[in-house]
Amino acid sequence: MKNVNLLLSALIAISILSCKTSTKEPEKLKYALCIHGGAGTILKKNITPEREKEYYDKLDEALTVGDSVLKNGGSALDAVELTIHILENSPLFNAGKGAVFTHSGKNELDASIMWGKDLNAGAVAGVGDIKNPISAARKVMENSEHVMLSGEGASLFASQQGLSIVDSSYFFTEKRWNYLQQILNKEREMTRTDRHGTVGCVALDKNGNLAAGTSTGGMTNKRFGRIGDSPVIGAGTYANNNTCAVSCTGHGEFFIRLGVAKDISALMEYQNLSLNEATDIVMDKLNNIDGSGGFVALDKFGNPAMKMNTSGMYRGYVNSKGVKEKYIYK
Ligand code: ASP
């Protein structure tokens, strides 16, 4: 009898131990980084092989920059800012140089950044002369007592901070201009998903800090000083070391209404869900209200989620194990 009891106790102990190991925390990567270059109607049949290669090359360049910052012990904030510079400086994406035009033929750019370590954040909205709006967002976060600055005030602040201010003609690209003209002349119907574009980056650094950043030209033909989700902390951007970092792209009004980025983090924080579960729930909510777009996110272990309900999203992922992936289509 004594032996049977001993055997039973041993079996119970083993099963408790094995339970423990099966619920143990996932392996934490030393670092990881995810990017996006906008979601929308992106179909292989509409892109030439040359143009497709240009996109893949630029995504690769951005991932390489982010990877080297993190590999060398740089912060997730530096990685996000410098990676986004590559995308902002390219005419391929709707951010910085490649920003779309408003109804009145101007470029009005928005950006935001958030530091998951202390929930500090900064943003600029409706700016027309700051070369790299993501850097202005970071300056707002680090060197002002505010979270969001807009228009001329944001430009004045950025110039006082020593950032590069450009003539508005810097943002002129023929492709974006022609697109606006086609819409104004009603030669092209503006569908829900083909006026999108934005760039974003989320990163986990070697110190376990998460950061997220988003930069955009907004939506073609926007009017009346419209601001989308990209500079809105909690809508287009969010980072919290305890949960995840998120950067969104898509029809901003819907992302603001749902508070997409913060909702993903809140589901993880309050309901103990995984990043995958939380992003699935929020994607369902977006679908329910017909909000088109997507997001990239990283959890605190460096696991990525890159999801969209459009036909494509320029996106990529790199991590400390040497994994590097780039995708365009769904
Ligand atoms: N979310 C951006 C906005 O609404 C646009 C986009 O990401 O495509 O301004």
Side-chain angles (χ1 to χ4, degrees):
M1 191 61 189
K2 203 173 165 193
N3 280 349
V4 173
N5 279 344
L6 267 175
L7 191 64
L8 269 175
S9 314
L11 280 173
I12 290 167
I14 288 169
S15 69
I16 287 172
L17 270 177
S18 64
C19 250
K20 274 223 167 111
T21 45
S22 70
T23 57
K24 78 170 192 216
E25 294 217 316
E27 182 199 0
K28 188 168 180 121
L29 288 159
K30 286 199 183 79
Y31 68 83
L33 178 133
C34 247
I35 56 173
H36 72 77
T41 312
I42 307 168
L43 298 166
K44 195 166 173 69
K45 66 175 182 21
N46 296 337
I47 301 184
T48 62
E50 295 75 33
R51 186 39 76 99
E52 188 182 75
K53 183 174 178 315
E54 280 181 55
Y55 276 110
Y56 278 127
D57 287 351
K58 199 45 82 176
L59 291 174
D60 195 84
E61 187 185 339
L63 288 172
T64 303
V65 165
D67 183 60
S68 83
V69 171
L70 295 169
K71 190 182 287 167
N72 292 315
S75 74
L77 267 180
D78 286 343
V80 164
E81 182 182 7
L82 296 176
T83 302
I84 288 184
H85 279 183
I86 302 295
L87 303 169
E88 283 181 335
N89 294 344
S90 162
L92 289 173
F93 306 99
N94 172 20
K97 173 71 186 149
V100 297
F101 285 92
T102 65
H103 183 74
S104 52
K106 292 187 188 153
N107 306 99
E108 293 176 358
L109 293 78
D110 308 324
S112 66
I113 197 161
M114 186 161 184
W115 186 216
K117 186 177 177 182
D118 58 7
L119 306 185
N120 204 357
V124 292
V127 298
D129 57 2
I130 301 174
K131 184 174 179 224
N132 292 109
I134 194 69
S135 294
R138 183 166 178 185
K139 291 286 188 196
V140 172
M141 175 175 86
E142 291 179 338
N143 297 344
S144 89
E145 57 192 30
H146 308 295
V147 169
M148 191 192 289
L149 300 179
S150 70
E152 284 175 13
S155 295
L156 180 63
F157 174 77
S159 72
Q160 285 176 359
Q161 291 291 315
L163 293 183
S164 176
I165 301 295
V166 290
D167 188 83
S168 57
S169 60
Y170 167 77
F171 298 109
F172 181 89
T173 57
E174 208 162 311
K175 182 178 116 183
R176 304 289 189 203
W177 180 254
N178 290 343
Y179 187 49
L180 175 68
Q181 302 316 308
Q182 285 168 357
I183 288 166
L184 293 178
N185 298 333
K186 308 229 177 336
E187 291 160 25
R188 184 198 280 256
E189 204 200 328
M190 201 167 30
T191 66
R192 265 192 322 115
T193 58
D194 69 3
R195 21 174 212 177
H196 289 170
T198 280
V199 306
C201 179
V202 290
L204 169 74
D205 65 28
K206 286 182 174 174
N207 292 320
N209 293 313
L210 285 165
T214 311
S215 181
T216 192
M219 290 174 84
T220 301
N221 202 29
K222 62 185 179 181
R223 301 176 77 176
F224 309 119
R226 177 263 187 194
I227 307 286
D229 61 314
S230 309
V232 179
I233 296 301
T237 303
Y238 201 75
N240 178 342
N241 275 5
N242 294 325
T243 55
C244 63
V246 185
S247 170
C248 301
T249 170
H251 198 152
E253 281 69 7
F254 295 87
F255 285 71
I256 294 174
R257 286 164 56 195
L258 288 182
V260 167
K262 166 73 181 176
D263 218 22
I264 293 170
S265 170
L267 282 165
M268 295 176 72
E269 187 169 11
Y270 304 137
Q271 295 205 15
N272 223 9
L273 299 185
S274 69
L275 180 68
N276 197 34
E277 291 164 334
T279 48
D280 273 350
I281 290 174
V282 175
M283 189 48 95
D284 276 352
K285 286 179 186 281
L286 259 179
N287 290 333
N288 290 344
I289 59 167
D290 255 352
S292 65
F295 41 73
V296 296
L298 277 180
D299 68 15
K300 61 182 176 182
F301 306 105
N303 298 311
M306 303 190 274
K307 297 184 181 172
M308 80 224 77
N309 60 14
T310 52
S311 57
M313 177 168 79
Y314 305 104
R315 60 201 186 279
Y317 171 70
V318 70
N319 72 21
S320 51
K321 286 190 160 171
V323 171
K324 194 192 228 183
E325 297 166 351
K326 291 156 284 175
Y327 308 95
I328 296 181
Y329 314 103
K330 192 158 187 160

